[in-house]
């Protein structure tokens, strides 16, 4: 029987190579370039998150005094109707916004997945809402939903009664979901379009030889092979829906009658409106826990879909 002989110095040589790579001029230059990002990430992301976690177990006074009170802030959250209302509002908004955004993104991505003249121009146009300021978008959409806006004019032209979108407890969340879909579909479209372009054309050619039409190819070829991208987009929209704040702050201020009072708006309102920084930090930790759970579920589901 032949015996496999492994050189004893292989691991030592690999270790020397790795150390030489990390000490090379290129590695030093790379460290220098990424150092500002690491410093800013630590200073404005990690350290504030850690401080908020500590502050959630304390009561912060306006004089700067900090008194640790244990789990009192979390116990207060569980007994606070305003907190449960914010969770309910966030859940309803998420249920409305995610299907709407994903459906629009998927449809536009399918339209852009064509070799037509000027398609790059249309893709750029569709992406413009992503880079538009959320405050500016909110102001524009307040006018669109107003009684003197184009949406009301369209409803009146069709002889259909137009609801008072932003002043109605029923229609305010669908209105905000429409604004979210308009603002975010361009980014999701690019992700889904990249997934579509990665699908080999041989699958479509084989399906076409079998006599399938365009809808059948989209349903039986595109959608199954697009699952990883779809899972990523869905989880991205879930996290984005949990953290919605800009449009609510600009368009409704949490109203009417706190019908759009989301969890992030509760954190802002309690922290900077009532100066309950410890209580707001506890609500922020709950939001962080929800986001982490959703991310872990996404990772598990995505692993199953690609296995």
């Amino acid at each position: 029987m032949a015996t496999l002989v492994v050189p004893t110095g292989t691991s030592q040589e690999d270790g020397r190579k790795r150390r030489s790579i990390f000490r090379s001029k290129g590695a030093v230059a790379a460290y220098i370039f990424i150092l500002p990002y690491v410093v800013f990430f630590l200073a404005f992301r990690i350290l504030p998150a850690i401080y908020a976690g500590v502050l959630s177990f304390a009561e912060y006074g306006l004089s700067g005094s900090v008194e640790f009170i244990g789990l009192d802030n979390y116990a207060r959250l569980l007994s606070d109707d305003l907190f449960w209302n914010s969770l309910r509002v966030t859940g309803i908004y998420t249920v409305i916004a995610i299907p709407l955004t994903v459906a629009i993104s998927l449809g536009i991505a399918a339209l852009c997945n064509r070799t037509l003249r000027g398609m790059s121009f249309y893709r750029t146009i569709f992406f413009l809402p992503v880079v538009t300021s959320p405050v500016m978008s909110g102001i524009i959409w307040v006018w669109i939903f107003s009684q003197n806006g184009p949406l009301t004019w369209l409803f009146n032209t069709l002889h259909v009664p137009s609801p008072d979108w932003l002043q109605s407890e029923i229609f305010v969340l669908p209105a905000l979901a429409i604004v979210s879909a308009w603002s975010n579909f361009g980014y999701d479209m690019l992700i889904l379009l990249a997934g579509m372009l990665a699908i080999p054309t041989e699958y479509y050619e084989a399906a076409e030889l079998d006599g399938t039409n365009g809808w059948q190819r989209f349903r039986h070829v595109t959608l199954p092979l697009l699952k990883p991208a779809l899972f990523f987009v869905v989880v991205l929209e879930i996290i984005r829906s949990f953290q919605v704040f800009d449009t609510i702050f600009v368009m409704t201020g949490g109203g009417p009658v706190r019908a759009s009072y989301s969890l992030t708006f509760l954190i802002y309102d309690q922290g900077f409106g009532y100066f309950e920084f410890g209580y707001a930090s506890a609500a922020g930790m709950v939001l962080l826990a929800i986001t982490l759970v959703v991310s872990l579920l996404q990772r598990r589901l995505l692993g199953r879909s690609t296995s």
Side-chain angles (χ1 to χ4, degrees), residues 201-264:
T201 57
E202 290 81 3
Y203 292 107
Y204 294 106
E205 294 173 356
E208 191 173 358
L209 290 176
D210 290 337
T212 58
N213 55 34
W215 166 248
Q216 291 172 333
R217 290 193 295 273
F218 178 78
R219 179 182 177 184
H220 297 289
V221 178
T222 304
L223 284 181
L225 296 176
L226 202 61
K227 277 186 178 181
L230 275 174
F231 270 116
F232 179 76
V233 166
V234 168
V235 174
L236 187 67
E237 287 302 321
I238 291 175
I239 296 174
R240 190 178 285 159
S241 298
F242 285 152
Q243 299 177 349
V244 60
F245 175 77
D246 298 331
T247 54
I248 293 178
F249 180 79
V250 174
M251 297 180 64
T252 65
V257 200
R258 291 178 173 167
S260 61
Y261 199 84
S262 66
L263 185 55
T264 50

Side-chain angles (χ1 to χ4, degrees), residues 3-299:
T3 304
L4 179 62
V5 179
V6 180
T8 57
T10 302
S11 59
Q12 296 178 355
E13 293 177 0
D14 291 341
R16 293 193 191 97
K17 289 180 180 179
R18 293 192 189 98
R19 286 193 293 269
S20 63
I21 290 174
F22 286 116
R23 295 174 182 174
S24 64
K25 294 182 179 180
V28 173
Y31 294 148
I32 293 175
F33 278 109
I34 66 174
L35 182 61
Y37 174 80
V38 173
V39 171
F40 275 92
F41 184 79
L42 290 174
F44 297 102
R45 292 284 187 174
I46 301 300
L47 293 180
I50 296 174
Y51 183 69
V54 174
L55 200 60
S56 66
F57 298 100
E59 183 177 353
Y60 185 89
L62 291 178
S63 61
S65 60
V66 178
E67 179 184 355
F68 287 94
I69 57 176
L71 298 175
D72 289 357
N73 285 325
Y74 293 95
R76 179 182 168 188
L77 280 176
L78 296 177
S79 60
D80 190 356
D81 293 335
L82 190 61
F83 169 72
W84 292 109
N85 175 73
S86 67
L87 278 181
R88 181 185 63 84
V89 168
T90 303
I92 295 174
Y93 172 82
T94 301
V95 170
I96 299 173
I98 291 176
L100 181 63
T101 306
V102 173
I104 294 176
S105 304
L106 186 61
I108 299 297
L111 291 176
C112 291
N113 188 24
R114 300 170 182 268
T115 55
L116 298 178
R117 185 177 181 181
M119 184 55 67
S120 59
F121 171 76
Y122 292 110
R123 293 173 183 173
T124 304
I125 294 298
F126 290 140
F127 190 76
L128 281 180
V130 179
V131 297
T132 304
S133 169
V135 175
M136 183 182 298
S137 300
I139 294 174
I140 293 173
W141 279 97
V142 166
W143 169 70
I144 292 175
F145 285 123
S146 68
Q147 293 300 311
N148 299 322
L151 194 59
T152 302
W153 174 83
L154 178 62
F155 273 82
N156 293 335
T157 302
L158 299 175
H159 302 288
V160 176
S162 175
D164 194 357
W165 294 88
L166 301 181
Q167 299 301 322
S168 170
E169 298 181 39
I170 299 176
F171 291 101
V172 63
L173 290 181
L176 293 172
I178 292 173
V179 179
S180 175
W182 178 83
S183 301
N184 300 324
F185 84 90
Y187 186 80
D188 297 339
M189 175 204 70
L190 286 184
I191 297 174
L192 296 175
L193 181 59
M196 292 179 182
L197 294 175
I199 300 175
T201 57
E202 290 81 3
Y203 292 107
Y204 294 106
E205 294 173 356
E208 191 173 358
L209 290 176
D210 290 337
T212 58
N213 55 34
W215 166 248
Q216 291 172 333
R217 290 193 295 273
F218 178 78
R219 179 182 177 184
H220 297 289
V221 178
T222 304
L223 284 181
L225 296 176
L226 202 61
K227 277 186 178 181
L230 275 174
F231 270 116
F232 179 76
V233 166
V234 168
V235 174
L236 187 67
E237 287 302 321
I238 291 175
I239 296 174
R240 190 178 285 159
S241 298
F242 285 152
Q243 299 177 349
V244 60
F245 175 77
D246 298 331
T247 54
I248 293 178
F249 180 79
V250 174
M251 297 180 64
T252 65
V257 200
R258 291 178 173 167
S260 61
Y261 199 84
S262 66
L263 185 55
T264 50
F265 200 88
L266 168 74
I267 296 171
Y268 165 80
D269 194 32
Q270 295 298 316
F272 297 97
Y274 297 96
F275 301 105
E276 296 278 354
F277 293 110
Y279 186 63
S281 298
M285 290 298 103
V286 172
L287 177 61
L288 176 62
I290 295 174
T291 305
L292 287 176
V293 169
V294 171
S295 300
L296 292 175
L297 289 175
Q298 177 262 346
R299 184 173 182 179

